[in-house]
Amino acid sequence: MRDKILNTAADMFLTYGFKSVTMDDIAEAMGISKKTIYTHFSTKNKLVLATSFHVVEKINCGIEEIREKKQNPIKENFDIKHFVSHHLKGEKTSPHYQLQKYYPKAYESLKSKQFELLENCMVGNIERGIEDGFYRKGIPVDFITRIHFVGMMGIKDTELFPIEEYTHPKLMEYFLEYHLRAICTLKGIKTLEELIDSNEK
């Protein structure tokens, strides 16, 4: 039952936003009593935190499946971007911003977990990219990993990037190209531009 609650809550939070969805809404959607939810999660804050970690873990599992394919690191970045964007439903309701504004403790806990997972993914991608000649030798891997994380967090700021003007998938697309052009070799740039062209078609 706990996993069913988490899956339903995750779907509703990402669709309608953390603030908008109530415990009553989740109970009604599942056809259960609110008391059943409270048996597993004593407060909405605890459900929000558990759901956030649940979503991150599911995304991480999907990313690991993509990484196991050992494709060229630039293509890997694009596949991860598409997977994350699809899994977060385009973030039309700005759940990241709502989490930060209304559930700051959950946001800070999640932020640390996100960096831990992204660091593992990014370091592996960059090191393989350097070895295969797609990324420049001598680039500061730790710095790039951290600045990438800061950028990914930054583009979720709906005050800086209003959702009326910037869709999240488009922001991810812009940011990924910006990131890759900064670290790619000529070989990498050629692969990047081929991927951009094929996506546009």
Side-chain angles (χ1 to χ4, degrees):
M1 178 57 71
R2 189 177 190 276
D3 283 345
K4 288 182 180 178
I5 294 170
L6 286 172
N7 286 328
T8 302
D11 184 65
M12 295 182 74
F13 286 148
L14 290 175
T15 302
Y16 305 109
F18 286 102
K19 181 68 172 174
S20 305
V21 177
T22 66
M23 300 292 253
D24 285 311
D25 293 331
I26 297 167
E28 184 179 347
M30 295 184 69
I32 62 175
S33 69
K34 189 164 62 171
K35 185 179 178 181
T36 303
I37 297 177
Y38 281 119
T39 300
H40 297 276
F41 306 98
S42 58
T43 65
K44 184 182 176 184
N45 279 11
K46 289 182 179 178
L47 177 59
V48 166
L49 180 60
T51 303
S52 300
F53 274 89
H54 179 69
V55 169
V56 167
E57 287 295 344
K58 284 184 73 173
I59 289 174
N60 187 54
C61 287
I63 289 173
E64 286 305 309
E65 287 180 12
I66 293 170
R67 293 180 67 198
E68 285 171 8
K69 295 177 183 178
K70 301 292 183 186
Q71 52 194 338
N72 90 59
I74 297 175
K75 177 71 163 59
E76 181 177 275
N77 269 300
F78 272 80
D79 284 357
I80 288 173
K81 176 185 74 73
H82 289 308
F83 172 78
V84 172
S85 183
H86 174 74
H87 209 81
L88 293 179
K89 302 184 175 186
E91 296 204 5
K92 292 177 183 177
T93 56
S94 304
H96 178 273
Y97 178 75
Q98 286 196 15
L99 195 66
Q100 184 178 13
K101 184 174 181 180
Y102 300 111
Y103 304 95
K105 288 183 179 178
Y107 171 79
E108 288 302 324
S109 296
L110 187 67
K111 185 178 175 183
S112 298
K113 183 65 175 177
Q114 285 178 305
F115 177 70
E116 177 189 323
L117 296 175
L118 181 126
E119 183 179 36
N120 177 52
C121 175
M122 283 289 298
V123 170
N125 180 278
I126 293 172
E127 289 177 345
R128 189 155 50 83
I130 293 171
E131 185 178 335
D132 294 345
F134 290 100
Y135 302 151
R136 295 182 287 110
K137 292 181 179 178
I139 55 178
V141 177
D142 183 65
F143 169 77
I144 289 167
T145 300
R146 290 169 185 273
I147 204 70
H148 184 84
F149 180 74
V150 170
M152 288 299 293
M153 292 294 105
I155 63 173
K156 295 174 187 291
D157 187 332
T158 54
E159 291 182 357
L160 270 177
F161 300 103
I163 55 177
E164 298 81 16
E165 298 177 39
Y166 300 94
T167 64
H168 190 70
K170 182 57 70 175
L171 283 171
M172 288 182 71
E173 185 180 307
Y174 289 157
F175 182 72
L176 180 58
E177 182 179 352
Y178 179 85
H179 160 72
L180 290 171
R181 285 190 182 279
I183 64 174
C184 277
T185 59
L186 290 176
K187 174 183 174 181
I189 292 291
K190 184 174 183 293
T191 301
L192 171 63
E193 291 180 344
E194 287 171 354
L195 280 166
I196 291 172
D197 287 341
S198 65
N199 284 336
E200 287 177 351
K201 292 174 184 176

